[in-house]
Amino acid sequence: MITRRHFLKATAAAGAALAVPWYFDTGTALAFYQSARLQKFAQPLRGVGPGGISVAAPDAFPAPVTGVTHYSLTIAQFTDQLHPKLGPTTLWGYNPAVALGGGTQPQRHLGGIIVAQRGVPIQLTFTNTLPPKHILPVDTSANFTDAQKRQNATTTHLHGGLTPWISDGGPFTWFTPDGQYGPSIVAKGGTNLYTLLNPDLRPGQAEYYYPNNQSARLVWYHDHAHDLTRLNAYAGIASAYIIRDSFEANLRTLGLPDFVENGGRELPIVIQDKIFVGSDIATKDPTWPGPTGVGSLWYPHIYEPDRWELGDHPLGLPPDPSIIPEMFGDTMLGNGTVYPEATVETRRYRLRILNACQARFLNLQLYVDDGSPDGITLNRNTMKPTNAPGPDFFVLGTEGGFLPHPVQVASNKPFDPNTLGGSLITGPAERWDLLVDFSKFAGKMLILYNDAPAPFPGGDPRNDYFPGSPGNPTQPQPGFGPNTRQILRFKVVPATSKDAPLHITENTDLTPDLTPFLVPPGTAVHSGVLHLPPGVPVRPLTLNETFDGYGRLIQLLGTNVSVNGGFGRAYEDPATETPAAGATEVWQIANLTGDTHPIHFHLVNVQVLGRQPFNVDTYSGTPSYTGPARGPGKTELGWKETVRMNPGEVTTVIMKFDLPQVPFTVPPSPRTGGNEYVWHCHILEHEEHDMMRPLVVM
Ligand SMILES: [Cu+2]
């Protein structure tokens, strides 16, 4: 049953009918490369706060109903200069009514960073002011007709936040500027559930309550509207949310916490890949339906059979624009700007890294720029950098907070196709909390490098941009984009003062900051056998790939019970994952597809217990294992909410479905009758077509 992508030209549609679009006959894929030639490291990394990415400040008034600290943000269209030679780029994003440093500030890509304190709840009003027409092409086929009617719907999900479901920003909690609301927030003739937290809410607004009863960690918040998430997030509706606590504050010998701008040495780095409309758009993409201004965002809109397998298509060929299986950019951004350079001193820094790409996995590495035109020189046989390695990564934590113990990771490990490992393999939505010591690199430049295949782990060289790439016809000039191997550069300058000695080692116990683990970390697998905790119910689940009615690849979550000839179920099929509040469950998720999927759980953090290979071809509901189980990687031993699940493996996780304590009564969802959350793949194009299922806590 396994369906794997193939990269040969599909011939099924050739000469079929007059209606066949031109791109079915050309025999070549439309280049995903559209961006103009942009010089790397030509601008400083954008900082946090005034003059950089805005930090939201609280309103002068307390929140309605709960009386807690309140924030107001609009979700608006704006323009930004993302590179000195590019733009302006039209974007969508968050804009705080009050910004740190006073008043309103120019709206910037990824603006609206919120810094919260553990145990101090906040409440927020979001006002949707988006124009009726999207800045990206919106698919109108299959389930997407609704999205076409309301292209400016949005809802805000606090990714990694432990929130009541009415504040989780699930797909059906969307709202539009003209006061339409999704079916989970307003039943026909029912109350608008957003008004429970704010009776004076105006049409086009939504109110959320975030309890912040979580240990220190980097969370983020972004759009999650049904059928529009992949486009809204790409358009820019995302920002960071940092939770601090006293345990973290007591680790100040690290030179943390606080942003560089506040005298600390904490540097958030949000990584994205994007594509920009160039001056030659009319020849490169003659049917481009989006804005044609140079520097506008470009997004793939054609399901190209040269790039993705085309299956039976009883509904006809895919339309243009069509949803596509995955978007890979040609240009890398750090903190919302193209190929930036960060100046650091010869001392320790705390890097808070988020992979905010649509679909691209990263294998983060650090190399010393060798002064060659591209900064990186590849061995022509191995295609691996010959550069001197940069400093190690000292990993303190991931998306669920600190690890039980820090882990030292060499920063010069290229991707290994046999182990799917490298230095820091980072799926979309995964995060790293790192210490990096630049003290031995005075006067050097260090390149933050990536060589993860895209898609992961199979790889299509056409998505891998660098000078000399053997499989990509685009041969960029060294020193310029398109380049997806180089993200940003650190310029190391002498320190103005000396760091205190580091009192933290790989043996330091960081668990006091974490809620108790359900299983001692890393103990579930011994001698290749996975030992599940006795008495905990086990839920067998599947990751699937098949074709939709237009012959497009579609990814689905499912149980181990076959429906309609496969295990996959649509997002809008009745909920099957309906745990009781407070229950602990083990989920064993068998990946029947050819891709690694970063599976994200709303509401809960999970512990990874193990992974085990199984025979995909004989799977009929119970995996037949083909090798020993192995425990989670050292950097996965803490709490996680986004977990990489590899092809041909069963990934086992454990979680407890505790609902957050809040000072108001949380009504059930009118759509599902419970506390309506979701679990889904965080490859955004998978999530929306249709790799997402309800998670309804009863
Ligand atoms: Cu996926």
Side-chain angles (χ1 to χ4, degrees):
M1 253 307 285
I2 192 164
T3 307
R4 290 182 192 277
R5 283 171 175 68
H6 73 129
F7 302 110
L8 304 169
K9 178 172 160 49
T11 53
L18 283 175
V20 172
W22 62 270
Y23 47 81
F24 277 81
D25 283 327
T26 57
T28 53
L30 191 66
F32 274 21
Y33 162 46
Q34 301 287 341
S35 303
R37 209 174 60 109
L38 296 170
Q39 191 180 353
K40 288 182 295 186
F41 320 129
Q43 63 182 330
L45 178 76
R46 211 173 250 182
V48 171
I53 303 168
S54 63
V55 176
D59 296 318
F61 54 89
V65 181
T66 64
V68 303
T69 302
H70 190 267
Y71 291 79
S72 300
L73 298 102
T74 54
I75 303 163
Q77 179 166 314
F78 63 102
T79 60
D80 194 358
Q81 181 99 28
L82 305 184
H83 185 277
K85 291 282 167 60
L86 179 75
T89 301
T90 300
L91 297 156
W92 287 5
Y94 296 110
N95 197 24
V98 190
L100 205 68
T104 54
Q105 285 162 20
Q107 191 168 2
R108 291 269 172 81
H109 188 19
L110 304 178
I113 295 172
I114 292 173
V115 181
Q117 301 295 325
R118 180 180 195 167
V120 180
I122 67 167
Q123 194 171 313
L124 313 89
T125 305
F126 288 95
T127 304
N128 182 350
T129 67
L130 295 169
K133 188 169 165 44
H134 210 287
I135 57 172
L136 299 164
V138 178
D139 185 344
T140 59
S141 63
N143 294 326
F144 302 94
T145 48
D146 214 24
Q148 178 70 3
K149 286 186 218 144
R150 43 165 186 85
Q151 295 194 10
N152 53 358
T154 184
T155 183
T156 300
H157 170 54
L158 184 65
H159 180 127
L162 174 55
T163 60
W165 83 266
I166 52 167
S167 298
D168 186 55
F172 286 109
T173 66
W174 53 262
F175 57 105
T176 62
D178 63 358
Q180 299 179 66
Y181 288 85
S184 293
I185 281 297
V186 185
K188 271 201 172 68
T191 310
N192 179 337
L193 298 185
Y194 285 135
T195 64
L196 298 180
L197 287 166
N198 184 352
D200 298 327
L201 214 58
R202 297 196 312 270
Q205 293 186 320
E207 190 83 9
Y208 298 84
Y209 180 91
Y210 299 157
N212 294 324
N213 280 320
Q214 293 174 278
S215 61
R217 64 189 67 185
L218 169 61
V219 182
W220 57 310
Y221 68 108
H222 60 75
D223 174 81
H224 215 307
H226 188 230
D227 293 343
L228 290 164
T229 300
R230 69 195 185 285
L231 303 174
N232 285 352
Y234 187 72
I237 308 180
S239 190
Y241 189 102
I242 294 177
I243 301 177
R244 304 221 186 272
D245 68 10
S246 57
F247 179 84
E248 179 198 43
N250 288 332
L251 296 174
R252 277 181 193 273
T253 48
L254 304 172
L256 62 91
D258 217 338
F259 303 131
V260 170
E261 292 76 9
N262 296 346
R265 281 181 303 284
E266 179 183 36
L267 208 51
I269 299 178
V270 178
I271 300 170
Q272 297 168 295
D273 57 344
K274 296 207 182 291
I275 305 176
F276 301 98
V277 169
S279 54
D280 51 356
I281 183 76
T283 36
K284 270 193 183 153
D285 184 5
T287 66
W288 168 243
T292 52
V294 174
S296 302
L297 289 176
W298 187 91
Y299 183 90
H301 55 100
I302 294 174
Y303 187 92
E304 298 177 79
D306 182 66
R307 193 179 285 273
W308 300 293
E309 189 170 348
L310 183 73
D312 289 341
H313 41 278
L315 298 179
L317 288 169
D320 178 9
S322 170
I323 191 163
I324 48 97
E326 61 247 326
M327 181 276 174
F328 296 111
D330 62 7
T331 300
M332 302 307 294
L333 289 81
N335 288 358
T337 52
V338 171
Y339 305 121
E341 181 177 82
T343 300
V344 293
E345 297 181 4
T346 49
R347 54 198 312 180
R348 281 191 301 277
Y349 281 77
R350 183 185 185 190
L351 308 184
R352 313 293 298 270
I353 295 182
L354 159 67
N355 179 350
C357 295
Q358 299 288 109
R360 188 179 287 279
F361 285 60
L362 303 168
N363 174 29
L364 297 172
Q365 298 152 78
L366 273 176
Y367 295 102
V368 177
D369 186 323
D370 63 8
S372 66
D374 208 46
I376 296 279
T377 305
L378 298 178
N379 176 304
R380 300 316 297 178
N381 296 318
T382 63
M383 296 308 284
K384 290 171 182 171
T386 58
N387 299 55
D392 287 351
F393 297 120
F394 194 61
V395 184
L396 300 177
T398 63
E399 63 269 14
F402 289 124
L403 293 170
H405 301 282
V407 180
Q408 188 97 10
V409 174
S411 70
N412 65 332
K413 298 287 176 227
F415 173 69
D416 179 344
N418 296 312
T419 62
L420 308 190
S423 281
L424 290 178
I425 301 287
T426 318
E430 283 192 298
R431 278 96 78 196
W432 297 111
D433 187 348
L434 306 174
L435 284 189
V436 175
D437 185 352
F438 294 103
S439 62
K440 295 192 176 71
F441 294 87
K444 303 263 198 263
M445 310 277 199
L446 295 162
I447 290 173
L448 184 62
Y449 187 77
N450 158 53
D451 67 350
F456 192 91
D460 177 346
R462 290 176 299 187
N463 300 319
D464 191 7
Y465 295 87
F466 61 99
S469 165
N472 190 327
T474 309
Q475 291 294 327
Q477 182 182 337
F480 293 80
N483 194 313
T484 50
R485 295 228 166 176
Q486 299 189 25
I487 300 164
L488 55 81
R489 187 166 75 177
F490 295 102
K491 177 185 177 184
V492 188
V493 301
T496 50
S497 62
K498 219 171 147 38
D499 280 337
L502 185 63
H503 293 302
I504 182 171
T505 69
E506 282 197 294
N507 296 320
T508 302
D509 181 5
L510 298 177
T511 53
D513 195 47
L514 302 166
T515 43
F517 286 105
L518 297 168
V519 174
T523 60
V525 174
H526 35 100
S527 309
V529 179
L530 177 65
H531 298 270
L532 296 177
V536 178
V538 176
R539 218 179 256 282
L541 297 156
T542 51
L543 311 181
N544 307 274
E545 186 169 55
T546 180
F547 296 98
D548 74 1
Y550 294 92
R552 298 177 290 203
L553 288 167
I554 182 171
Q555 297 77 29
L556 298 165
L557 302 177
T559 68
N560 68 334
V561 176
S562 177
V563 278
N564 304 323
F567 296 99
R569 291 166 194 250
Y571 170 41
E572 294 190 59
D573 287 347
T576 42
E577 289 73 69
T578 56
T584 299
E585 294 192 359
V586 164
W587 286 17
Q588 293 206 284
I589 304 171
N591 186 348
L592 304 169
T593 79
D595 289 330
T596 298
H597 302 273
I599 298 296
H600 171 50
F601 303 89
H602 287 218
L603 176 68
V604 289
N605 284 187
V606 308
Q607 271 185 270
V608 181
L609 298 186
R611 296 185 174 89
Q612 192 161 9
F614 72 105
N615 188 332
V616 170
D617 296 322
T618 63
Y619 182 84
S620 58
T622 307
S624 124
Y625 291 109
T626 55
R630 62 182 204 286
K634 275 172 125 183
T635 57
E636 294 179 309
L637 290 178
W639 289 103
K640 299 271 294 169
E641 33 83 334
T642 308
V643 178
R644 277 169 273 128
M645 302 197 179
N646 300 317
E649 283 186 350
V650 173
T651 303
T652 302
V653 296
I654 187 168
M655 60 199 115
K656 190 167 189 296
F657 294 93
D658 285 330
L659 294 169
Q661 300 287 314
V662 292
F664 50 88
T665 304
V666 180
S669 161
R671 200 181 79 87
T672 53
N675 294 276
E676 182 183 344
Y677 297 92
V678 287
W679 65 291
H680 62 85
C681 179
H682 217 282
I683 291 174
L684 297 185
E685 289 79 17
H686 288 188
E687 167 184 342
E688 293 214 296
H689 187 226
D690 193 30
M691 206 171 206
M692 175 151 59
R693 290 285 293 149
L695 167 61
V696 183
V697 181
M698 307 307 282

